[in-house]
Amino acid sequence: MKSKRPAALIFIFITVLIDVIGIGIIIPIMPRLYQELTGGTLSQASEYSAYLVFIYAFMQFIFSPIIGGLSDQFGRRPILLFSLFGFGLDFVFLALAPTIGWLFVGRTISGIAGASFTTASAYIADISEPEKRAQNFGLLGAAFGLGFIIGPALGGVLGEFGTRIPFWVSAGLSLLNWIYGYFVLPESLKPENRRKFDIKRANPIGSLLSLKKYPMIIALVASLFLVYVANFATQGTWSFYTMEKFGWGEMEVGLSLAFVGLMVAIVQGGLIRIIIPKVGQERALFLGLIINACGMFAFGFASQSWMMYAIMVPFALGGLTGPAFQGIISSQVGASEQGELQGALTSLNSVAAIIGQPFMLWLFRAFTAKTAVVYFPGAPFVAGSILTVISIFLTLRVLAKPKATK
């Protein structure tokens, strides 16, 4: 497998890239689709978005550890292919949806299939040396970044021709990705590193509780959870925020997200492989956290459209946080448990989404409704900044302690 590692990294990079392009395409037009199906205002549409996010995140919370556990027994390849096919079905449902109820069905399917990122993370862990895991996890971030350069920009253009066109394109990309994976994606998990599926461990609570064997991981997971919740300030409200505050349309939202993707790709695909080896995982982690906190606060108070672009340039360096966290945490776990670990972390992200994204959208709704005491669309970003500052202090306490040994 060692001689195939570079090729395997390329395979998984392309697989995730195509997946993210499909997701990115639909982001700019989702607020308008909600408005079309409900007949409400942008502020009211954000409430439906919160409900749909809850369903998606809840399904991921339930099924991610199951998918991770199955990949530890049967290998990454078949599980990843199953997830990719599920994404394609989700986009078909969204393309055909005549009512808001159809969106809930599609989001349910997508939540189950969304574990493809869990399996991709375990795949990276399988083929990476411990000291290179953080850099290789950065490739997933680069795939996200590049996917969000292409996807939202394409979605903004396609959205001009109708709200359903982007969904059909995304469905086609996802199914092509499934076919691509079927023919070219090799298996990464060696037979001797596999373990039998255990339903007691492959459930959201059991998966998270299994981490108690690693005290350092438990403490870091609490800090990572706060970061996950904070990140939904940008992930969950960007389209609504920029449309509400700056009057952007689908094209402007798509182009701005493409710029976000470009910055992320530069950091995750290039700078991260220079910065982390040079300064170390822990210093890179704190650098990323501090930049995230400052950047979200600045987004919340931006008064001109160009400021969103200006802030994004340094804010992108906050992308050091995820790979550094994953590199530190995954180094505490053996090869046979990487799938379970990544499933647990995805479940953690799902819990954060269940709590964080509806909360951020609720803040947006509360501060933009006609009945709002204070009109402040940037409230979610300020909340995210505060949570990140708390995470910084918690992480300082954790990493200042003697390191646990495996």
Side-chain angles (χ1 to χ4, degrees):
M1 186 67 193
K2 187 173 182 179
S3 62
K4 296 181 180 179
R5 281 174 183 166
L9 284 172
I10 292 173
F11 291 148
I12 203 69
F13 175 85
I14 294 175
T15 298
V16 173
L17 172 63
I18 297 175
D19 224 15
V20 174
I21 289 174
I23 295 172
I25 284 175
I26 71 172
I27 291 177
I29 51 88
M30 289 303 288
R32 181 149 64 101
L33 179 62
Y34 296 145
Q35 287 182 279
E36 286 182 2
L37 293 177
T38 63
T41 65
L42 189 64
S43 182
Q44 291 168 335
S46 67
E47 186 174 356
Y48 284 98
S49 178
Y51 297 146
L52 287 163
V53 166
F54 176 86
I55 291 296
Y56 176 85
F58 182 75
M59 299 309 294
Q60 274 213 326
F61 175 67
I62 297 297
F63 283 93
S64 287
I66 295 176
I67 296 296
L70 288 173
S71 76
D72 279 340
Q73 177 173 350
F74 298 106
R76 316 302 183 201
R77 185 176 184 275
I79 304 303
L80 187 58
L81 292 177
F82 163 80
S83 297
L84 294 176
F85 185 75
F87 263 127
L89 288 181
D90 168 47
F91 290 129
V92 171
F93 266 92
L94 295 177
L96 296 172
T99 66
I100 197 75
W102 278 53
L103 297 187
F104 282 92
V105 175
R107 291 288 83 185
T108 299
I109 296 173
S110 182
I112 297 172
S116 63
F117 300 115
T118 299
T119 312
S121 296
Y123 194 108
I124 293 292
D126 289 340
I127 63 175
S128 302
E129 298 294 340
E131 65 274 10
K132 293 185 178 180
R133 277 181 183 152
Q135 295 97 303
N136 288 339
F137 278 130
L139 282 177
L140 292 182
F144 271 85
L146 186 56
F148 274 105
I149 294 172
I150 301 170
L154 183 58
V157 173
L158 293 173
E160 297 294 315
F161 300 95
T163 54
R164 306 308 175 106
I165 300 299
F167 294 102
W168 286 116
V169 174
S170 294
L173 285 174
S174 294
L175 294 176
L176 284 174
N177 197 12
W178 172 63
I179 294 171
Y180 165 80
Y182 180 82
F183 286 105
V184 304
L185 191 67
E187 179 55 63
S188 65
L189 186 62
K190 299 177 181 178
E192 62 270 22
N193 288 334
R194 300 188 184 191
R195 65 174 180 84
K196 289 186 177 181
F197 178 78
D198 184 353
I199 191 62
K200 293 181 180 179
R201 297 173 66 176
N203 66 78
I205 304 302
S207 179
L208 291 173
L209 289 178
S210 70
L211 298 179
K212 67 183 180 182
K213 296 178 292 184
Y214 309 95
M216 183 180 176
I217 283 182
I218 290 292
L220 282 175
V221 158
S223 182
L224 180 59
F225 177 76
L226 292 176
V227 173
Y228 280 160
V229 173
N231 284 342
F232 283 107
T234 51
Q235 295 175 15
T237 67
W238 183 273
S239 297
F240 291 100
Y241 176 67
T242 53
M243 287 180 172
E244 175 71 22
K245 189 167 187 177
F246 306 116
W248 288 4
E250 288 81 6
M251 180 72 76
E252 289 86 354
V253 171
L255 291 176
S256 71
L257 289 172
F259 183 76
V260 170
L262 175 61
M263 293 297 99
V264 170
I266 291 173
V267 172
Q268 301 276 5
L271 294 181
I272 200 170
R273 304 179 77 83
I274 299 173
I275 295 174
I276 288 183
K278 188 176 182 64
V279 306
Q281 290 183 150
E282 292 186 8
R283 289 182 179 178
L285 174 58
F286 286 115
L287 176 61
L289 287 171
I290 292 170
I291 291 173
N292 271 337
C294 295
M296 280 190 276
F297 189 83
F299 280 137
F301 286 94
S303 58
Q304 302 291 331
S305 292
W306 64 265
M307 292 181 180
M308 301 298 285
Y309 286 89
I311 296 166
M312 180 50 61
V313 175
F315 181 71
L317 285 171
L320 293 168
T321 303
F325 254 130
Q326 283 205 320
I328 293 170
I329 292 174
S330 67
S331 66
Q332 303 294 310
V333 174
S336 65
E337 297 176 312
Q338 288 295 332
E340 181 183 40
L341 169 64
Q342 298 304 328
L345 294 181
T346 302
S347 290
L348 184 74
N349 197 11
S350 297
V351 173
I354 290 170
I355 298 171
Q357 191 153 345
F359 172 67
M360 296 301 180
L361 286 166
W362 174 82
L363 281 178
F364 176 82
R365 173 93 161 89
F367 283 90
T368 58
K370 293 180 180 180
T371 57
V373 177
V374 178
Y375 179 79
F376 183 47
F381 292 96
V382 175
S385 178
I386 293 171
L387 289 172
T388 305
V389 170
I390 296 173
S391 177
I392 291 172
F393 285 106
L394 180 58
T395 305
L396 273 171
R397 291 189 60 185
V398 172
L399 296 182
K401 296 178 181 178
K403 306 298 186 294
T405 56
K406 291 186 282 186

